[in-house]
Amino acid sequence: MLRRPKPTDSEADLLREQERFLNSGAESAANVVRRPDKRRGEAGGGGGGEDGGHVGQNGGSQRDVVTIEDLPDDLPSLTPAPPKKSRFKGSRVTFEDEDAEERLDQHDTHISAVLSRIVERDTSSTPISLPAITGMAFPKALHRSANSQKPLSSAGGRKSIFARQIATQRLKEGKTPWHCESESSQKDKPREQMPPAEASMDTDQCNPAFHVSSSRMVSGEGLRGPDSSGESMRIHKENQAKLQAMSQAEILEEQKRLLAQLDRRLVEFVRSRKAQSVPSSSSSSSKHPEGKSSRENAPLVNLSTESDSSSGAVLFQKSQEVKMEGEEELSPSPALLVKPQKEWVHMDKLEPEKLEWMRDLPAPRKTGTKQAMQARFDFNGTVISPTEDLPTHLGLHHHGEEPERAGYSLQELFLLARSQVIQQRSLALSTIANVLAKAHTGEYSLLLKGSVISTLLDAGLLFLLRFALDDSVEGVMSAAVHALRALLVCAEDEECLDLTFSWFRGLAAFPMLPSAQEEEDEEDEGLDETLKETAKEKEERKTDFDVACQDVVKGLLRMKLLPRLRYILEVVRPSPRVVQDVLELLTRIARHSSSSATQVLDCPRLMQTVMSEFLPMSWTTPSSPLPQSVYGLPLSCAVKLIRVLATSGRHACARLLNSLGVTERLSCLLSAEPSELLLEPTEALRITTEAYRLWAVAAGYGQACRLYIDLYPALVKALQGLHIIVAHSGTLLPLQLQRVLALLSLLTQVTHTAGCHQELQAGMVSSERDECPPPPLVSWGHVTGLQPSLLSHLKSFVKSLDNPLQRDTSLTLIPVYLLYLEAHYHQLSRQSCFKPVETLQELELLASEVLLPLMSHFVVQDMIKNLKSFSVVCNDHSTLRGLDTVPSLPGLACPGWRGRPGLLAPVSPFPLLTGLGLLLDTITGIHKGLSCKFSALLLSEPVISYLRCCSQATPSLSHTRAWLLRHEHHLVYLLLRLAHRLVPVDPEVAKHASLYHQVALVLLPWLLPGSEYLAQELLSTIIFSKDFISESHSGGPEAIELGELKLHEETPNNSAPSLQTVGTLLREACIQLPSIRGCFLTHLAHLESSVLVSRDAHLGYNPWINSHLLPELTGPTLPSDWPFLPIVSLYEQTGVSDGGGLAVEELPQGALQVVTHCLQWLLVLEVWREEALKVILPVAKLARLSCVFLCSSDLFLERPVQKLTWGLFRLLTRWSRLDSLDLNVPPPGLASFQDLYSALLAQYEAVSFGDRLFGCWILLPLQRKYSATMRLAVFGEHVGMLRSLGVTLEQLSIPIERFTSPPEDSLPLLRLYFRSLVTGTLKPCWCPVLYVVALSHVNAFIFSQDAAAQEVEAARHSMLRKIYYLTDEVLRNHLLLFRLPQLRSDVGFNTYEELPPTRAKRLQSVVGLQDSSSNKGD
């Protein structure tokens, strides 16, 4: 048996095996057969030598054909492969009589037909050329630059550079290129053997000479037959004959029909293939001119040209279009700046869409457009105008939308921020940071539509920056830190908070929390309280995106921002700028809330890194003012971070002082002069200023007292050098002044703390305190020596006001000295060593030598004149509206504060007047005889004008205003406190008592969280003081009685309400003012804990203060409708739970007296202080007073309640008030007034007993201008109450015309009116008012001449017919003859004696029509 060859066999082994195979005579596995070459047009036949000989005789060469046997007869299964779909199957032309199986047999051959035709390439006609003989040892190396001209286009299409170079070399040597030798051999054939040009069947591109533009033919290769080429020629001639017989219009129509039948993609494909061949054929024809034409072929060519004249024009036109497209692809555009050369690599085929960027940019638009355009920014964050033409070297033009416009849009910046290129990420983040910084300043308010910051946050900026913080490239990470700092931190906000630190209560601040938004949780509705989710569980269930949308800082904390910032500081150790940005970010997070500050403290190794790296105990002098690294150097921003953390609470402050070593670092920084700290001078001043502020915060808790004893010499030395610092003005003077202000703030807090030592030491703790803190280490004896020195400083500064060079400095420092003296004398009066006589003499000297000269100085007087213009309350400050703020990231809106008037302006009178007011309040409390000396302040025209403006102002509440409103509230309160002391003793001041009372009433609902003590003081002293209600003892009630008397004379028929005059009620209310005050203070007892906390803070009881962070800014301390509070509280206790069914005896003890006092106070305010209640909507007043009827079944029937409620009802329904009463507006706290009115209707039906007062309350919302829903409720669901609603027109103080005009247009309500009248439900003896109302509207409806819908017209006719046939003559006459309401008439209206002609005619037409229709029916 023959073996198979092995890879290890040698050539001898293979020859030996071949010999054995031949000797064995075995049959070979493959036979060599000869198959016809259909590409040459050979006839098919048998195999073997006959075919070979036949072909050889025809000049062809024999070729070996390998036939593979043992192939399977069946087609292999193709189930695993997906079926293939033909692109052209749908457009393929088929015939109805064609057999599908036959077509399949023709085209889908067996696999053996494919694999059996392995044909060897015919190389018999290919010439073999030997390499050229040269004298060089090696062939010369070719360079692409040497090939300056492209050779003839090859038949094979694109050739490599090397092949083109070889072809060019052969042409130079006079040889034929290889790819053209076959063409030349074909040209050598006899002319008669070649088909004419227009009948060429060669579709190969190797012979461009055969391409013509007039027509195209297929080769006929697919036709199976002996004369396939002749058949194709016959078909071609037949087509030519048909074309000659057709006109040009017929040819175009046939062409359109064919194009419509073919697939559009197939047509485009053929045209593109033709477009590729057109240029090569044209070039070939120019390079290869035809030889001599034979005479016999000329007629054929001419005939072809003539016959194709019509179609050739169309084809030529289309080929021209294709040629132009081809030229755009193959030749550079003339507008390109650079013309590609042929020798450039890979530039033989140009791509115009990529070369478009080499063109010159189109010019930007020269005129504006009303259409909004996408904003584009430069790298500094400046908006680029669409008409601005910037040079391209700035790098602001790019391959994006609107290439002619310079700059980047926000969308493109977001895209670049996620680029893989480091520089692009850094550049995008830096640009976003600049955009955010400018957005905070409001630079885009007039340029862009909408909020930039809100748009960026909605687009996911927070997550983009958080992901960028995790970038491994330090540059990208630094840019992300800077962008995050630009988003969260506003430098001017921090600067303003630092400037107000030395003001009264300036170290306290509101948390930067977003305004609380009530979330409606539908999932918890109807569940038991134990099953409802807690607030913490709801917070944990929220996604990061939801949390970030509500609160940006909380969202960042949830995304683990603090550990990443710690990693940056601890491991990355970035540049100084990044370090400062990180510390400012931590400061802003600490300002967010006490919980956020606690998270900063609890972050592992974060504060330890800050303390060790940026607050070291020792350091070396930096080598330059701007060192490359700040690690190992103390930083002022690090001290500020610790100060803000300490503000969050006393426990956090103690933790910083004791656990983190802040006490030692304060001692290190403050024991030496700033010039001795081995730091740059400005940084040394900043860091000592922040150290003093941090110490002042700690002293505000009664902590760090040992440090005061240890550093007392250094503090005294700093005070002694104060005049030297102030005398030398320079660039460092502002920083030095801030340092002095911080030092004086520290001494003020230490004085307050020392004043509490004796009380704590002796255990004199008031009963309301739960625990007694330990006494501080510093006592009163440690601080008494400071007062003489500081008082002498104050005197010198007052005298220096005459010096223009030192005036600004003196005005800056005087307020802080006044605050210190207030703390000193306030705490002195509480000490056992207090000597009244000596203190009174000292205070008299202080007033005569310091305070009065200060008040009368022209500089101070000029500042007081600016009081109103610098007020936040009196000025809306419309400039603040341009600042870009978002609810989830509250700010203080301080950008641009230097350029606008306000509390922080350099010449603002508020710091000085606040300090002066505090000191005056304290010393006049000790020495009451000094009060009259300062009456000039209250009587000055600027102060009176300012208070008048405050009494009419309605300031809005937000984070941007609250931090300044708090300071202005202090000043207004102090002015009222001074007035409280002067009104009883100074007649001139008493003349303005009503103004002061009005201001007190307005200020009370303005007071913010943290000012509860001020609210209690106002309620206890001024609000209910008879001295400030001057009308009560100056003929006020008598004047009201005279007005009532005049009103009665004008309306003699007026009855019940006017019998008890409002003047008498007012006189009784003024007598009860002390009881009224006790009533309201009792109902505000729930604020007692807040009042105690606020009192400790305002009076300087530092050891009891738990936090300098004020309560969350959720709203004012008291609601604006606080005068209604007792009534609303009683309703919430009894009316809601018991449905208003309790009798007066069943109400809580004293409920009747509480309601009476509340109504008395409301009556006083409505008559004499109407302006104070203007913040309460009239509908809110009506809703609150409705609680009188809803909280009990018979409380409104009590005589004092009835009289007072009648008086209030008459005041609310005056002509001037009725127009402003809009019941369509939902009252605060209610979904709609209709819900409240439904409860009132149910209560009236249940317990009213026809009470006239309750009836007036029910009738008030039934006026025509209000919603018809309430009238439908009365005449529909509660129609039974019409029998007891006996209010007469005289008792109702509302004009009846408000109920009857304009005519009713609600058809369901009109039908109810008519039904109640016809059925007898509504009678004039039961319900006079609504009887007149129903008559008026029904009468106007039935006799209306206005065009209406068919349903309405049918209802009119129906009502009119029913009225005409009524058996009740009285009602019939009332409905038909009603004219107008008449108050003095017995029935409340007057009637016609007979119907007017127009109405009579209408009645006759309707009734006559009915009669005629009835007759027709009969």
Side-chain angles (χ1 to χ4, degrees):
M1 182 177 179
L2 300 177
R3 68 180 184 86
R4 296 178 63 84
K6 296 180 179 180
T8 57
D9 291 348
S10 62
E11 187 177 357
D13 295 335
L14 294 176
L15 292 175
R16 189 180 310 110
E17 291 295 329
Q18 181 181 2
E19 186 177 358
R20 290 181 56 192
F21 171 73
L22 294 175
N23 294 334
S24 64
E27 186 179 359
S28 60
N31 297 325
V32 179
V33 297
R34 176 62 179 160
R35 291 292 180 90
D37 189 359
K38 292 186 178 182
R39 290 177 298 178
R40 291 181 172 272
E42 297 175 354
E50 294 180 1
D51 289 332
H54 176 74
V55 174
Q57 293 175 1
N58 288 283
S61 60
Q62 295 184 356
R63 290 174 291 177
D64 296 334
V65 179
V66 180
T67 302
I68 302 177
E69 297 181 353
D70 300 332
L71 285 175
D73 295 332
D74 300 329
L75 293 175
S77 175
L78 299 177
T79 51
K84 295 183 179 180
K85 296 183 180 180
S86 173
R87 294 179 56 189
F88 312 113
K89 181 178 180 180
S91 59
R92 187 174 297 156
V93 180
T94 57
F95 302 96
E96 295 181 357
D97 56 349
E98 185 177 1
D99 187 5
E101 184 178 359
E102 183 179 353
R103 289 183 63 249
L104 183 63
D105 293 340
Q106 291 176 359
H107 298 286
D108 192 8
T109 57
H110 190 260
I111 190 173
S112 60
V114 179
L115 296 182
S116 62
R117 297 176 183 176
I118 303 177
V119 182
E120 182 183 359
R121 178 181 296 176
D122 185 8
T123 59
S124 58
S125 61
T126 303
I128 300 175
S129 60
L130 298 176
I133 301 176
T134 61
M136 296 183 296
F138 294 96
K140 180 181 179 181
L142 300 177
H143 195 271
R144 63 173 177 267
S145 61
N147 186 16
S148 59
Q149 189 175 8
K150 185 175 179 180
L152 297 175
S153 59
S154 60
R158 293 181 59 185
K159 294 293 183 181
S160 65
I161 296 176
F162 180 75
R164 294 203 299 264
Q165 290 171 344
I166 295 299
T168 303
Q169 183 179 2
R170 291 179 61 86
L171 286 176
K172 290 180 179 179
E173 296 174 356
K175 299 180 179 180
T176 304
W178 294 323
H179 66 274
C180 293
E181 288 182 356
S182 59
E183 300 172 8
S184 60
S185 62
Q186 291 182 7
K187 288 181 181 180
D188 293 340
K189 293 183 179 180
R191 185 70 184 217
E192 59 273 7
Q193 295 182 7
M194 297 176 59
E198 67 273 10
S200 173
M201 294 178 292
D202 189 359
T203 60
D204 195 355
Q205 295 182 1
C206 66
N207 193 356
F210 293 157
H211 290 292
V212 293
S213 60
S214 59
S215 63
R216 293 292 182 94
M217 288 179 55
V218 295
S219 62
E221 209 174 283
L223 299 175
R224 292 187 176 184
D227 191 15
S228 58
S229 59
E231 182 66 18
S232 62
M233 183 58 67
R234 187 185 62 80
I235 295 174
H236 175 65
K237 290 180 179 180
E238 183 181 350
N239 292 338
Q240 291 289 344
K242 287 183 179 181
L243 287 175
Q244 290 177 3
M246 297 172 66
S247 64
Q248 184 177 359
E250 293 175 344
I251 293 175
L252 292 177
E253 182 180 358
E254 189 68 20
Q255 181 186 14
K256 291 180 181 179
R257 189 180 65 82
L258 289 175
L259 290 176
Q261 292 178 352
L262 295 176
D263 186 12
R264 180 176 55 84
R265 293 175 295 179
L266 177 61
V267 175
E268 292 177 356
F269 171 73
V270 173
R271 285 178 175 174
S272 63
R273 298 292 297 175
K274 181 179 180 181
Q276 295 177 3
S277 62
V278 167
S280 60
S281 62
S282 60
S283 59
S284 302
S285 61
S286 61
K287 294 181 181 180
H288 298 277
E290 290 183 358
K292 296 179 180 180
S293 302
S294 82
R295 187 182 304 269
E296 56 189 2
N297 289 333
L300 181 60
V301 175
N302 294 336
L303 179 62
S304 174
T305 305
E306 293 174 3
S307 63
D308 290 348
S309 60
S310 59
S311 61
V314 179
L315 293 175
F316 175 75
Q317 184 180 358
K318 294 185 177 295
S319 65
Q320 282 289 331
E321 296 174 2
V322 175
K323 184 175 182 180
M324 291 172 62
E325 295 176 2
E327 287 176 354
E328 288 180 2
E329 295 182 2
L330 299 177
S331 62
S333 175
L336 294 180
L337 295 177
V338 180
K339 184 177 181 181
Q341 302 298 324
K342 295 182 178 180
E343 60 269 14
W344 291 358
V345 181
H346 301 309
M347 293 295 285
D348 53 340
K349 183 177 180 181
L350 303 182
E351 298 177 90
E353 65 276 4
K354 294 183 179 179
L355 295 177
E356 282 294 321
W357 288 101
M358 299 181 67
R359 294 177 179 268
D360 290 336
L361 289 173
R365 59 179 65 191
K366 298 300 182 182
T367 58
T369 177
K370 294 183 179 179
Q371 186 178 2
M373 300 184 66
Q374 194 173 27
R376 293 190 173 274
F377 306 87
D378 63 8
F379 298 131
N380 294 324
T382 306
V383 177
I384 300 177
S385 173
T387 61
E388 191 171 359
D389 191 4
L390 296 177
T392 56
H393 70 269
L394 297 178
L396 297 174
H397 296 82
H398 52 89
H399 296 208
E401 298 178 356
E402 302 174 321
E404 70 278 4
R405 290 187 57 191
Y408 289 82
S409 64
L410 296 179
Q411 182 180 3
E412 292 163 352
L413 290 174
F414 265 60
L415 187 63
L416 283 180
R418 292 171 290 182
S419 170
Q420 294 183 355
V421 182
I422 298 174
Q423 291 82 356
Q424 289 181 345
R425 297 203 301 272
S426 301
L427 186 64
L429 292 172
S430 301
T431 306
I432 290 175
N434 295 331
V435 170
L436 289 170
K438 291 184 181 294
H440 276 300
T441 61
E443 291 190 17
Y444 303 140
S445 59
L446 300 178
L447 300 175
L448 303 181
K449 183 180 179 180
S451 170
V452 175
I453 298 179
S454 179
T455 302
L456 289 171
L457 289 176
D458 293 342
L461 174 66
L462 216 58
F463 296 92
L464 177 69
L465 298 181
R466 181 60 190 89
F467 297 154
L469 282 179
D470 294 334
D471 202 297
S472 58
V473 180
E474 183 177 349
V476 178
M477 179 205 64
S478 302
V481 171
H482 187 56
L484 194 59
R485 184 257 179 202
L487 174 64
L488 297 183
V489 182
C490 181
E492 291 181 300
D493 286 359
E494 293 293 331
E495 183 182 2
C496 291
L497 289 175
D498 292 343
L499 288 176
T500 58
F501 182 86
S502 58
W503 292 14
F504 175 64
R505 295 290 297 148
L507 53 81
F510 287 107
M512 295 287 191
L513 281 169
S515 300
Q517 300 178 355
E518 295 184 1
E519 300 179 5
E520 298 181 359
D521 226 342
E522 298 180 356
E523 298 179 1
D524 291 346
E525 291 183 1
L527 293 178
D528 188 69
E529 291 294 332
T530 57
L531 300 178
K532 291 184 179 180
E533 287 184 331
T534 62
K536 184 178 180 180
E537 292 174 343
K538 292 179 181 179
E539 189 71 22
E540 292 176 351
R541 191 162 51 90
K542 293 180 181 177
T543 63
D544 292 350
F545 178 77
D546 295 335
V547 174
C549 286
Q550 296 178 0
D551 192 334
V552 171
V553 175
K554 187 180 291 186
L556 287 171
L557 292 175
R558 188 164 177 174
M559 288 187 276
K560 307 298 181 184
L561 176 66
L562 295 179
R564 183 60 185 175
L565 295 181
R566 189 264 311 157
Y567 174 84
I568 293 173
L569 292 178
E570 183 183 26
V571 179
V572 180
R573 301 174 72 89
S575 61
R577 177 190 173 187
V578 180
V579 170
Q580 184 174 0
D581 288 346
V582 171
L583 294 177
E584 290 180 358
L585 279 173
L586 293 174
T587 303
R588 175 61 180 84
I589 293 173
R591 288 193 185 278
H592 175 264
S593 62
S594 58
S595 61
S596 300
T598 303
Q599 291 187 53
V600 174
L601 282 172
D602 293 340
C603 183
R605 303 194 309 279
L606 176 58
M607 291 309 300
Q608 288 81 355
T609 302
V610 173
M611 298 300 296
S612 60
E613 299 293 350
F614 310 116
L615 278 178
M617 292 296 296
S618 61
W619 61 89
T620 58
T621 307
S623 57
S624 64
L626 299 175
Q628 298 296 322
S629 176
V630 292
Y631 281 80
L633 295 176
L635 297 179
S636 60
C637 49
V639 184
K640 183 177 181 178
L641 169 62
I642 297 174
R643 188 244 299 178
V644 175
L645 289 172
T647 306
S648 64
R650 67 164 42 247
H651 297 293
C653 184
R655 185 174 169 186
L656 288 167
L657 292 174
N658 303 322
S659 301
L660 295 176
V662 173
T663 304
E664 293 78 7
R665 287 165 172 81
L666 286 178
S667 178
C668 176
L669 292 173
L670 298 177
S671 58
E673 291 292 328
S675 58
E676 301 172 359
L677 290 180
L678 302 180
L679 294 172
E680 195 265 332
T682 57
E683 183 63 21
L685 288 173
R686 289 193 183 98
I687 198 170
T688 52
T689 301
E690 286 298 337
Y692 279 130
R693 289 171 179 166
L694 171 58
W695 191 1
V697 171
Y701 296 123
Q703 300 175 356
C705 297
R706 172 64 66 183
L707 194 60
Y708 171 79
I709 300 174
D710 296 340
L711 296 183
Y712 185 79
L715 297 176
V716 174
K717 184 179 179 181
L719 289 176
Q720 291 174 350
L722 181 60
H723 285 285
I724 302 175
I725 295 174
V726 174
H728 295 82
S729 60
T731 57
L732 297 179
L733 181 60
L735 294 177
Q736 291 172 338
L737 289 179
Q738 289 299 315
R739 180 172 176 269
V740 173
L741 293 176
L743 172 60
L744 293 173
S745 299
L746 165 65
L747 297 179
T748 302
Q749 294 301 326
V750 171
T751 303
H752 279 303
T753 300
C756 301
H757 174 85
Q758 183 178 346
E759 180 182 353
L760 294 175
Q761 187 70 31
M764 297 174 61
V765 182
S766 51
S767 59
E768 66 266 16
R769 302 191 185 278
D770 296 334
E771 59 180 8
C772 178
L777 298 179
V778 61
S779 63
W780 187 250
H782 291 107
V783 298
T784 52
L786 297 175
Q787 191 264 351
S789 174
L790 295 178
L791 182 58
S792 64
H793 289 176
L794 177 60
K795 293 179 181 179
S796 64
F797 287 134
V798 173
K799 293 179 181 179
S800 63
L801 289 176
D802 297 326
N803 186 357
L805 298 178
Q806 298 183 3
R807 184 174 299 161
D808 294 339
T809 302
S810 299
L811 291 175
T812 303
L813 295 177
I814 286 176
V816 192
Y817 279 94
L818 295 176
L819 292 178
Y820 168 77
L821 289 178
E822 186 275 332
H824 172 79
Y825 289 112
H826 175 71
Q827 298 297 339
L828 176 62
S829 62
R830 303 175 60 209
Q831 305 303 315
S832 60
C833 60
F834 174 64
K835 299 177 181 180
V837 178
E838 295 180 2
T839 304
L840 295 180
Q841 294 175 355
E842 184 179 341
L843 292 179
E844 289 178 356
L845 289 175
L846 175 65
S848 59
E849 295 180 1
V850 179
L851 300 182
L852 290 176
L854 176 64
M855 286 176 49
S856 60
H857 199 279
F858 73 94
V859 176
V860 178
Q861 291 297 320
D862 291 341
M863 294 178 64
I864 294 177
K865 292 178 181 178
N866 297 327
L867 193 61
K868 188 164 64 172
S869 60
F870 285 85
S871 167
V872 180
V873 173
C874 299
N875 298 296
D876 190 23
H877 290 299
S878 57
T879 53
L880 297 180
R881 297 176 182 173
L883 299 180
D884 196 348
T885 57
V886 291
S888 60
L889 190 63
L892 306 184
C894 292
W897 65 273
R898 297 182 186 275
R900 61 174 184 262
L903 267 66
L904 292 173
V907 293
S908 172
F910 283 91
L912 177 62
L913 290 180
T914 303
L916 183 62
L918 274 171
L919 183 56
L920 293 181
D921 185 38
T922 300
I923 64 175
T924 53
I926 299 173
H927 192 332
K928 295 179 172 55
L930 292 177
S931 302
C932 296
K933 293 185 178 181
F934 303 103
S935 60
L937 178 62
L938 284 178
L939 294 175
S940 62
E941 181 58 31
V943 173
I944 295 295
S945 177
Y946 169 70
L947 292 177
R948 280 203 185 96
C949 184
C950 289
S951 66
Q952 300 173 358
T954 54
S956 59
L957 180 61
S958 63
H959 275 284
T960 58
R961 301 170 63 89
W963 71 286
L964 286 177
L965 285 173
R966 183 172 66 95
H967 294 291
E968 187 164 357
H969 293 166
H970 291 159
L971 175 61
V972 177
Y973 167 77
L974 292 171
L975 291 175
L976 294 176
R977 288 284 297 176
L978 183 59
H980 175 252
R981 300 189 188 279
L982 288 173
V983 165
V985 297
D986 193 329
E988 291 297 325
V989 178
K991 294 179 181 180
H992 302 283
S994 299
L995 174 62
Y996 303 139
H997 190 247
Q998 178 81 19
V999 173
L1001 288 171
V1002 170
L1003 176 64
L1004 187 62
W1006 288 355
L1007 294 175
L1008 303 175
S1011 301
E1012 292 83 0
Y1013 172 69
L1014 305 184
Q1016 187 196 40
E1017 286 296 304
L1018 288 176
L1019 289 171
S1020 303
T1021 56
I1022 298 178
I1023 298 295
F1024 300 101
S1025 174
K1026 193 174 182 179
D1027 296 332
F1028 285 86
I1029 306 178
S1030 58
E1031 295 85 354
S1032 62
H1033 49 79
S1034 61
E1038 289 76 10
I1040 297 297
E1041 288 178 348
L1042 290 175
E1044 290 286 341
L1045 182 60
K1046 183 178 180 181
L1047 181 63
H1048 300 331
E1049 292 176 353
E1050 294 177 355
T1051 56
N1053 292 336
N1054 206 2
S1055 57
S1058 59
L1059 295 178
Q1060 183 63 55
T1061 63
V1062 177
T1064 305
L1065 297 176
L1066 286 172
R1067 190 179 296 108
E1068 294 177 0
C1070 292
I1071 297 174
Q1072 298 293 329
L1073 280 177
S1075 300
I1076 295 173
R1077 176 180 59 190
C1079 170
F1080 277 90
L1081 289 177
T1082 302
H1083 276 82
L1084 295 176
H1086 64 282
L1087 299 175
E1088 182 180 3
S1089 58
S1090 301
V1091 170
L1092 292 177
V1093 173
S1094 177
R1095 184 191 68 177
D1096 293 341
H1098 282 84
L1099 299 183
Y1101 299 156
N1102 289 347
W1104 286 277
I1105 296 177
N1106 289 322
S1107 175
H1108 292 305
L1109 202 62
L1110 296 171
E1112 183 180 351
L1113 187 62
T1114 56
T1117 301
L1118 293 178
S1120 59
D1121 59 348
W1122 66 269
F1124 298 88
L1125 188 60
I1127 296 178
V1128 177
S1129 299
L1130 181 62
Y1131 169 71
E1132 291 177 348
Q1133 292 177 15
T1134 61
V1136 176
S1137 58
D1138 299 307
L1142 295 179
V1144 175
E1145 296 79 9
E1146 299 172 340
L1147 294 176
Q1149 186 177 4
L1152 176 61
Q1153 189 176 10
V1154 166
V1155 173
T1156 303
H1157 289 332
C1158 180
L1159 294 175
Q1160 287 176 334
W1161 179 240
L1162 288 172
L1163 187 66
V1164 170
L1165 295 180
E1166 284 290 343
V1167 175
W1168 289 327
R1169 298 291 180 266
E1170 184 179 352
E1171 286 294 321
L1173 295 179
K1174 68 179 182 180
V1175 295
I1176 308 175
L1177 295 175
V1179 64
K1181 296 178 183 179
L1182 186 66
R1184 281 12 175 206
L1185 286 175
S1186 300
C1187 295
V1188 174
F1189 302 97
L1190 296 176
C1191 62
S1192 173
S1193 61
D1194 56 356
L1195 177 64
F1196 60 92
L1197 298 176
E1198 295 293 329
R1199 185 166 181 80
V1201 175
Q1202 181 108 156
K1203 291 189 297 183
L1204 290 167
T1205 309
W1206 264 121
L1208 289 170
F1209 179 78
R1210 294 194 57 206
L1211 292 173
L1212 289 175
T1213 55
R1214 287 176 292 180
W1215 278 86
S1216 57
R1217 297 290 190 86
L1218 282 175
D1219 292 332
S1220 61
L1221 181 60
D1222 187 3
L1223 301 185
N1224 297 323
V1225 177
L1230 294 176
S1232 66
F1233 186 82
Q1234 285 85 347
D1235 298 339
L1236 175 65
Y1237 190 67
S1238 299
L1240 285 173
L1241 292 177
Q1243 185 78 347
Y1244 183 86
E1245 283 187 311
V1247 300
S1248 69
F1249 300 104
D1251 180 67
R1252 299 295 187 265
L1253 172 62
F1254 205 167
C1256 289
W1257 219 269
I1258 293 296
L1259 290 174
L1260 176 62
L1262 300 182
Q1263 297 178 61
R1264 178 63 181 87
K1265 69 175 183 177
Y1266 300 134
S1267 173
T1269 306
M1270 294 181 282
R1271 298 192 291 276
L1272 286 170
V1274 172
F1275 284 88
E1277 303 171 13
H1278 303 277
V1279 68
M1281 65 182 295
L1282 298 178
R1283 190 179 182 89
S1284 60
L1285 196 57
V1287 179
T1288 63
L1289 271 68
E1290 295 82 5
Q1291 293 171 339
L1292 183 66
S1293 58
I1294 306 171
I1296 190 63
E1297 289 77 16
R1298 290 183 173 269
F1299 295 87
T1300 60
S1301 179
E1304 185 63 61
D1305 55 1
S1306 173
L1307 185 59
L1309 183 57
L1310 288 167
R1311 286 171 173 166
L1312 291 177
Y1313 284 160
F1314 183 73
R1315 186 180 67 179
S1316 62
L1317 290 170
V1318 172
T1319 58
T1321 308
L1322 183 60
K1323 292 184 177 182
C1325 57
W1326 293 343
C1327 187
V1329 175
L1330 293 185
Y1331 183 80
V1332 175
V1333 173
L1335 279 179
S1336 174
H1337 288 302
V1338 173
N1339 179 268
F1341 177 70
I1342 61 177
F1343 288 113
S1344 175
Q1345 302 294 328
D1346 298 337
Q1350 184 177 0
E1351 181 186 4
V1352 176
E1353 193 65 29
R1356 288 174 180 171
H1357 292 178
S1358 174
M1359 286 186 187
L1360 194 55
R1361 287 193 298 269
K1362 291 178 181 178
I1363 293 171
Y1364 182 76
Y1365 293 111
L1366 276 176
T1367 58
D1368 188 347
E1369 290 292 334
V1370 175
L1371 179 60
R1372 178 175 177 273
N1373 291 332
H1374 285 175
L1375 286 171
L1376 292 177
L1377 301 178
F1378 178 88
R1379 184 173 186 178
L1380 287 174
Q1382 182 64 41
L1383 183 63
R1384 299 183 181 182
S1385 174
D1386 294 337
V1387 292
F1389 58 93
N1390 54 15
T1391 60
Y1392 294 103
E1393 293 182 2
E1394 60 181 10
L1395 276 178
T1398 305
R1399 295 191 174 189
K1401 183 179 180 180
R1402 178 174 177 80
L1403 177 62
Q1404 184 63 30
S1405 64
V1406 173
V1407 176
L1409 180 64
Q1410 174 67 21
D1411 292 341
S1412 61
S1413 62
S1414 301
N1415 294 333
K1416 289 181 180 180
D1418 295 340

